[in-house]
Amino acid sequence: MARIASWDAPMPALLQVRCIGTSRFRLLSSEVAKYGLWMGQTEPIADDPPTPVPASMQASADALGRLVAQWQQDGVPADRMPLAPPYRLDDCGWVADRWCELLPLPPDDKARLLGLTDPEARLAAIQDLLRGQGLA
């Protein structure tokens, strides 16, 4: 789910929308309606309980922290950062979800990972991907 943070209509028939994600959901069904409008049925996925990052997965949180620090050092404006504070680098689910957003994964893989309800299992799967790419 998302909320619209800002929008602009720079010309007729063009709408630029900036959204901020709020919660996860599972897509149960979808269809293309009239005029190409996608419609679907969803169910919410409960928020993760706060879960500390296990020592065995700390490399994933550290790599994400270095990435955020690099963007800050490069002077990326806060409204252009791919991640918004607060940076919860000590929370397993938050770290896993941010990597899911940032990694160039096929949409089906992102949906599968984000749909995992165990934050440690989600981060473990992400860490395997990061190690495979030499990032953690």
Side-chain angles (χ1 to χ4, degrees):
M1 303 299 285
R3 69 176 168 80
I4 296 173
S6 62
W7 64 275
D8 187 26
M11 62 176 42
L14 179 63
L15 183 63
Q16 296 174 327
V17 180
R18 183 170 184 265
C19 297
I20 296 174
T22 59
S23 59
R24 297 180 300 148
F25 63 89
R26 185 170 289 108
L27 184 61
L28 301 175
S29 65
S30 64
E31 65 179 286
V32 180
K34 194 172 180 180
Y35 305 113
L37 175 66
W38 280 91
M39 306 212 26
Q41 297 294 316
T42 65
E43 69 180 5
I45 297 174
D47 290 341
D48 293 326
T51 307
V53 175
S56 63
M57 295 184 235
Q58 188 60 46
S60 298
D62 293 345
L64 186 57
R66 285 191 301 274
L67 190 56
V68 170
Q70 185 63 54
W71 291 327
Q72 291 170 332
Q73 187 177 25
D74 291 345
V76 176
D79 66 335
R80 305 298 284 175
M81 290 271 271
L83 306 178
Y87 304 117
R88 298 184 356 233
L89 296 166
D90 60 344
D91 184 87
C92 212
W94 189 89
V95 171
D97 292 350
R98 299 306 70 83
W99 275 122
C100 282
E101 294 168 359
L102 293 170
L103 288 172
L105 300 171
D108 287 345
D109 290 348
K110 284 187 186 222
R112 180 186 57 78
L113 288 167
L114 287 168
L116 296 175
T117 56
D118 178 349
E120 284 189 39
R122 196 162 60 249
L123 186 56
I126 290 292
Q127 183 153 301
D128 288 345
L129 291 170
L130 293 172
R131 283 186 177 145
Q133 296 182 14
L135 297 171

